[in-house]
Amino acid sequence: MTPRRSDAEQNRAKILEVAIAALAVTSDATLQSIAKQAGVGQGTLYRHFPTRESLLLAAYRDDVERLIDAAPALLAANPPVVALRLWFDRLAAYGRIKHGVAEAVHAATRAELSGVYYDRVIEAITSLLTAGQQAGSLRPDIDAEEVLLLVGFLWRLDNENWENRSRHLLDVVMDGLSLRPR
């Protein structure tokens, strides 16, 4: 495969950046509006992403990578409970995008999440949980797979009042994960 020119790489990155931002606002973002916001023609967009589904899948992959990569940095900069909550906020943003594009990429993302990404997401959650458990601020009787089940609501929230509902429900999850003297 021939390496891409640097301007082609920049165009692809810009299209992807704009698509991720647009999809965070509405799952109805059009390819035409994304191309316009990215400052590229539709031909350039279609050269990089021949279908809407290919763009959505690329946005999904990029978000998952960022989500996974955020865990160590959040732990390095924050107390474990704060790092976990900040990571949950990122997970919520990712969940919103996944919810918005679920129909288009459901089969592909399900296979991918259960493969490569699932293990990496579990590792990220485990690192956050372990730090909080070792600090004595999170319950010792919960594991990463259970946490992922708990926050699964993020993929099912409707767009209406999404931000307030996700914030409130993540507060409830954090309360449930917190270690309390009995």
Side-chain angles (χ1 to χ4, degrees):
M1 181 176 195
T2 307
R4 289 190 187 149
R5 297 183 336 241
S6 64
D7 62 330
E9 276 299 323
Q10 289 171 350
N11 284 342
R12 185 182 192 286
K14 183 65 177 172
I15 293 166
L16 195 53
E17 176 186 327
V18 167
I20 289 167
L23 292 168
V25 174
T26 177
S27 59
D28 298 327
T30 65
L31 293 182
Q32 182 178 359
S33 69
I34 291 169
K36 185 176 180 179
Q37 283 183 294
V40 301
Q42 286 187 312
T44 299
L45 184 141
Y46 283 107
R47 235 182 333 278
H48 293 286
F49 305 102
T51 64
R52 178 176 174 77
E53 290 75 19
S54 65
L55 177 58
L56 297 176
L57 189 54
Y60 163 80
R61 287 180 180 140
D62 189 75
D63 266 4
V64 169
E65 291 288 340
R66 289 181 198 199
L67 178 66
I68 291 167
D69 292 344
L74 290 170
L75 274 174
N78 300 282
V81 171
V82 174
L84 180 62
R85 178 50 199 251
L86 291 172
W87 193 85
F88 278 165
D89 290 341
R90 290 176 185 226
L91 180 66
Y94 156 77
R96 180 168 172 80
I97 289 173
K98 186 173 186 306
H99 175 76
V101 301
E103 291 176 19
V105 295
H106 178 72
T109 59
R110 184 174 178 183
E112 212 165 331
L113 185 58
S114 64
V116 175
Y117 288 121
Y118 182 81
D119 290 341
R120 293 182 60 208
V121 167
I122 292 298
E123 287 174 19
I125 295 171
T126 298
S127 69
L128 293 160
L129 276 178
T130 300
Q133 290 164 340
Q134 289 174 348
S137 53
L138 294 177
R139 297 168 59 138
D141 63 340
I142 191 146
D143 65 33
E145 289 185 351
E146 292 168 329
V147 169
L148 196 54
L149 285 171
L150 284 173
V151 297
F153 67 85
L154 292 168
W155 284 261
R156 292 184 291 279
L157 289 176
D158 290 329
N159 284 334
E160 186 176 322
N161 204 16
W162 176 88
E163 192 170 339
N164 290 332
R165 290 191 75 201
S166 67
R167 188 178 314 115
H168 172 72
L169 291 171
L170 285 172
D171 286 343
V172 171
V173 170
M174 288 301 298
D175 286 346
L177 292 175
S178 296
L179 185 63
R180 293 194 178 102
R182 294 186 186 257

